[in-house]
Amino acid sequence: MNQLQLETGIRTIINKTIDRFSIFIHTDDGEIAINAYEPRKAASLIKIPILIEAFRQLESDQFRSDTLVYIEQDMKVGGAGVINYLTSSNVYSYKNLMELMIIISDNTAANIVLDKVEMYQVNALARHLKCEHTEIQRKFMDIASQSAGLENYTSAYDMYHFLSTIANRSNTISDNSRSQIVEILSNQQFGDKLASYLPFNSDVKLYHKSGELDGVEHDAAILEYQNKRIEAVVMSEGWENNGIGKRHIAEIGNLLIDYIKSN
């Protein structure tokens, strides 16, 4: 499969719903961009720049990853994650919280990390990386702020830049931080989108973070096979049934797996 066949396959999958999708895929052979610069609700994809900023601050000793945080009841929020539902389990290190906000997309953990690194610093990171469509305006599960019109936004192209910061050497974060982020992403527990067709113990490695809201389905991933790598971001919204969005993204993931293994 060549890149033209990959893009043709993707466009065939989303043909009837193309306006609902924003896609940016970077391969060794070039790029595929479909509505890639359109800002969309970020959902939990915004946890990727939060994680990058957290590691950046760890490097400059603004806080320590092993510092313990006692989680009061009023700090807990619902939605994705487990902290809100566990009995007598209220003390975690910042590193644990960073892991939980990615691996199981824990919203309580994400809010605590966001409070520590500060929202304006995450937005400053986005501007530094020229991610013009990315802005975090509210914490997770903050219904009042959401009702007031505050939302977190990004685009497929911006999210590619965050993935690229993780995948490639840069002045933004150290190689050691990059390695730790990749390890966290490799332990992602939600595999029903881009990773859906990935066989157990596959030699294709996939490091990713998904996101979802009512009507919104996203996934952003780094795929590696031998000496090849793909950064792929698929964002979608406007679904009456989220399961349909998931199935489309899973089919795109299947094409990406076939593509990286066939070249």
Side-chain angles (χ1 to χ4, degrees), residues 18-81:
I18 193 167
D19 290 342
R20 297 182 184 182
F21 281 89
S22 292
I23 297 172
F24 193 88
I25 297 169
H26 177 268
T27 76
D28 293 337
D29 301 316
E31 297 171 346
I32 298 171
I34 301 171
N35 304 324
Y37 308 96
E38 181 178 339
R40 294 190 185 271
K41 292 179 181 179
S44 285
L45 289 192
I46 204 69
K47 292 169 185 174
I48 292 179
I50 294 173
L51 185 66
I52 295 172
E53 176 59 22
F55 271 98
R56 193 192 67 78
Q57 293 189 21
L58 286 174
E59 291 176 11
S60 58
D61 295 323
Q62 294 183 49
F63 70 102
R64 289 175 55 95
S65 63
D66 59 357
T67 298
L68 297 179
V69 182
Y70 183 82
I71 301 176
E72 304 283 357
Q73 190 62 36
D74 62 2
M75 297 164 69
K76 297 179 180 181
V77 296

Side-chain angles (χ1 to χ4, degrees), residues 172-219:
T172 305
I173 51 174
S174 69
D175 288 350
N176 180 51
S177 291
R178 290 173 48 240
S179 177
Q180 290 184 66
I181 291 173
V182 167
E183 178 67 22
I184 292 171
L185 292 172
S186 74
N187 292 322
Q188 174 61 241
Q189 296 297 294
F190 298 115
D192 56 353
K193 286 179 251 187
L194 289 178
S196 185
Y197 285 92
L198 193 67
F200 186 70
N201 288 332
S202 172
D203 47 3
V204 176
K205 304 303 179 186
L206 195 149
Y207 315 102
H208 70 117
K209 178 75 189 80
S210 61
E212 61 186 58
L213 296 167
D214 185 19
V216 174
E217 291 291 345
H218 305 325
D219 210 351

Side-chain angles (χ1 to χ4, degrees), residues 6-238:
L6 173 63
E7 181 167 357
T8 299
I10 291 171
R11 288 185 177 274
T12 299
I13 291 168
I14 67 173
N15 178 48
K16 295 181 179 180
T17 54
I18 193 167
D19 290 342
R20 297 182 184 182
F21 281 89
S22 292
I23 297 172
F24 193 88
I25 297 169
H26 177 268
T27 76
D28 293 337
D29 301 316
E31 297 171 346
I32 298 171
I34 301 171
N35 304 324
Y37 308 96
E38 181 178 339
R40 294 190 185 271
K41 292 179 181 179
S44 285
L45 289 192
I46 204 69
K47 292 169 185 174
I48 292 179
I50 294 173
L51 185 66
I52 295 172
E53 176 59 22
F55 271 98
R56 193 192 67 78
Q57 293 189 21
L58 286 174
E59 291 176 11
S60 58
D61 295 323
Q62 294 183 49
F63 70 102
R64 289 175 55 95
S65 63
D66 59 357
T67 298
L68 297 179
V69 182
Y70 183 82
I71 301 176
E72 304 283 357
Q73 190 62 36
D74 62 2
M75 297 164 69
K76 297 179 180 181
V77 296
V82 298
I83 292 176
N84 187 45
Y85 308 101
L86 297 178
T87 303
S88 302
S89 182
N90 298 312
V91 181
Y92 302 86
S93 69
Y94 277 115
K95 182 64 178 295
N96 291 155
L97 295 170
M98 290 157 63
E99 292 164 339
L100 285 166
M101 80 169 181
I102 298 296
I103 295 170
I104 56 172
S105 206
D106 195 291
N107 288 324
T108 297
N111 280 345
I112 295 169
V113 174
L114 182 59
D115 280 342
K116 189 63 180 177
V117 303
E118 296 188 90
M119 196 177 295
Y120 83 94
Q121 294 279 37
V122 181
N123 290 330
L125 171 69
R127 291 192 296 272
H128 170 72
L129 294 175
K130 307 292 192 254
C131 296
E132 299 176 358
H133 306 119
T134 299
E135 184 175 13
I136 183 165
Q137 300 180 348
R138 64 170 178 83
K139 293 166 70 172
F140 299 93
M141 303 304 293
D142 185 347
I143 307 303
S145 294
Q146 191 174 30
S147 298
L150 297 178
E151 192 51 83
N152 303 326
Y153 293 100
T154 191
S155 66
Y157 182 69
D158 281 6
M159 194 51 56
Y160 154 71
H161 275 291
F162 292 121
L163 292 180
S164 182
T165 298
I166 297 166
N168 300 288
R169 287 187 168 183
S170 72
N171 294 325
T172 305
I173 51 174
S174 69
D175 288 350
N176 180 51
S177 291
R178 290 173 48 240
S179 177
Q180 290 184 66
I181 291 173
V182 167
E183 178 67 22
I184 292 171
L185 292 172
S186 74
N187 292 322
Q188 174 61 241
Q189 296 297 294
F190 298 115
D192 56 353
K193 286 179 251 187
L194 289 178
S196 185
Y197 285 92
L198 193 67
F200 186 70
N201 288 332
S202 172
D203 47 3
V204 176
K205 304 303 179 186
L206 195 149
Y207 315 102
H208 70 117
K209 178 75 189 80
S210 61
E212 61 186 58
L213 296 167
D214 185 19
V216 174
E217 291 291 345
H218 305 325
D219 210 351
I222 300 167
L223 294 87
E224 292 182 348
Y225 176 71
Q226 296 179 355
N227 63 340
K228 292 169 286 188
R229 186 174 71 223
I230 297 172
E231 292 95 10
V233 182
V234 182
M235 303 181 67
S236 68
E237 60 184 30

